[in-house]
Amino acid sequence: MADPLTDARELLAAAPRVLIFTGAGVSAESGVPTFRGPGGLWKTFRPEELATPEAFGRDPRLVWEWYGWRREIVARCAPNPAHLAIGLWMLQREGVTLVTQNVDDLHERGAEEAAGGLVREGHDVPAERATPVRLHGSLFHVRCTGCGTRVAHREPIDATSEATLPHCACGSLQRPDVVWFGEMLPEDALERAFTAARAAGVCLVVGTAGAVHPAAAVVHATAGAGGAVIVVDPGETAYEGLTTLRFRAAAGEVVPQLLAVGA
Ligand code: OAD
Ligand code: ZN
């Protein structure tokens, strides 16, 4: 075996279709807390009090206060070199599907920054190509608890009372458009993710412990169909028995080296 980095770059360059699967770890270097690592959200907060339909039914004000706080953290963070490298790579080659478990918007912001650079160099940019498949929803979208309408929503959350929480034009309360514990994942996103995973010659896994299903099974779908699995994560993951190449390092350090076009 040459060096793992060369092998991984060759695998990624040679695969007609690649799936990139990310979790909270890809945003850790941007300052967004993960869930299960040191200082992780589930170490500080009890998910059953904040991230379940029952919690929202019991106290929508408390749940919105927590999601408003998470939005403020993400809004203060910037895409890191891993987000930028993934965005640029997706804009520069076809056949790549990005599936994320994250609810932050750093992949989109990273792709926007990468696209800006390409436009400045006079390239045309298929921006829609870099849009992630979102398995767990988005912090910056809301869904109406009455009519189900989903809209983008970035206004600051005023959780003073239930009346000041986000409300739909139909009059009903809006909730964060994220998947809570005990809820089903969006069917269309799941379908797209697993179809892409089964067709991928390589699955590049970045920053996920692989602890939450059905999302985590995306990686098994690529491996089960004979694809290679490359894992970038400084910690232990559920994929250790599945990996073809393993990089025990931070996303911001390794991903730009794996995806550097032409270097
Ligand atoms: P976790 O917190 O479970 O795992 C984060 C992973 O990122 C761990 O394996 C860390 O070792 C790794 N990590 C930390 N810093 C990193 C860095 N700089 N570079 C690369 N990796 C790093 O977060 P997820 O696996 O994303 O579900 O959690 C999956 C789901 O569980 C989330 O989407 C959320 C949560 O409950 C829902 O919201 C439904
Ligand atoms: Zn409505």
Side-chain angles (χ1 to χ4, degrees):
M1 165 159 336
D3 83 288
L5 193 57
T6 307
D7 288 349
R9 284 169 51 81
E10 285 170 0
L11 272 176
L12 289 162
R17 280 189 291 278
V18 172
L19 186 102
I20 300 178
F21 183 60
T22 64
V26 78
S27 299
E29 290 151 275
S30 298
V32 182
T34 62
F35 292 93
R36 293 173 183 82
L41 290 174
W42 297 155
K43 294 278 189 325
T44 323
F45 300 96
R46 291 163 51 83
E48 53 278 6
E49 285 173 3
L50 294 163
T52 64
E54 295 75 22
F56 190 74
R58 217 176 21 250
D59 189 346
R61 216 189 44 69
L62 174 68
V63 173
W64 260 122
E65 206 165 46
W66 190 61
Y67 278 92
W69 170 74
R70 289 183 64 190
R71 280 184 174 190
E72 285 163 16
I73 290 180
V74 170
R76 286 198 299 269
C77 294
N80 69 56
H83 297 113
L84 294 169
I86 290 169
L88 183 61
W89 201 59
M90 292 182 75
L91 294 173
Q92 291 186 311
R93 66 151 280 181
E94 297 191 324
V96 184
T97 303
L98 171 62
V99 175
T100 191
Q101 303 169 90
N102 298 342
V103 293
D104 67 50
D105 61 349
L106 293 175
H107 277 307
E108 288 88 339
R109 287 163 56 192
E112 269 166 40
E113 271 189 46
L118 291 173
V119 167
R120 280 192 294 279
E121 291 163 12
H123 302 284
D124 67 335
V125 171
E128 69 295 336
R129 206 192 273 169
T131 306
V133 176
R134 292 186 156 282
L135 292 181
H136 291 158
S138 159
L139 275 179
F140 299 103
H141 284 75
V142 294
R143 186 164 85 235
C144 177
T145 57
C147 67
T149 307
R150 280 184 163 83
V151 290
H153 183 282
R154 287 182 175 272
E155 288 72 23
I157 300 299
D158 175 357
T160 318
S161 72
E162 190 158 331
T164 59
L165 293 177
H167 279 76
C168 176
C170 79
S172 298
L173 186 59
Q174 290 167 316
R175 54 164 280 180
D177 191 18
V178 298
V179 175
W180 281 329
F181 286 97
E183 293 190 315
M184 302 293 284
L185 276 63
E187 267 304 311
D188 56 326
L190 267 179
E191 178 63 35
R192 284 178 62 203
F194 279 88
T195 303
R198 285 188 288 269
V202 183
C203 180
L204 172 60
V205 186
V206 185
T208 178
V212 174
H213 286 266
V218 159
V219 181
H220 298 268
T222 298
V229 174
I230 300 171
V231 174
V232 177
D233 191 316
E236 279 306 297
T237 77
Y239 303 118
E240 301 314 327
L242 273 182
T243 57
T244 313
L245 289 163
R246 181 70 168 89
F247 296 90
R248 287 187 182 281
E253 179 197 324
V254 172
V255 173
Q257 297 178 61
L258 289 177
L259 304 183
V261 176

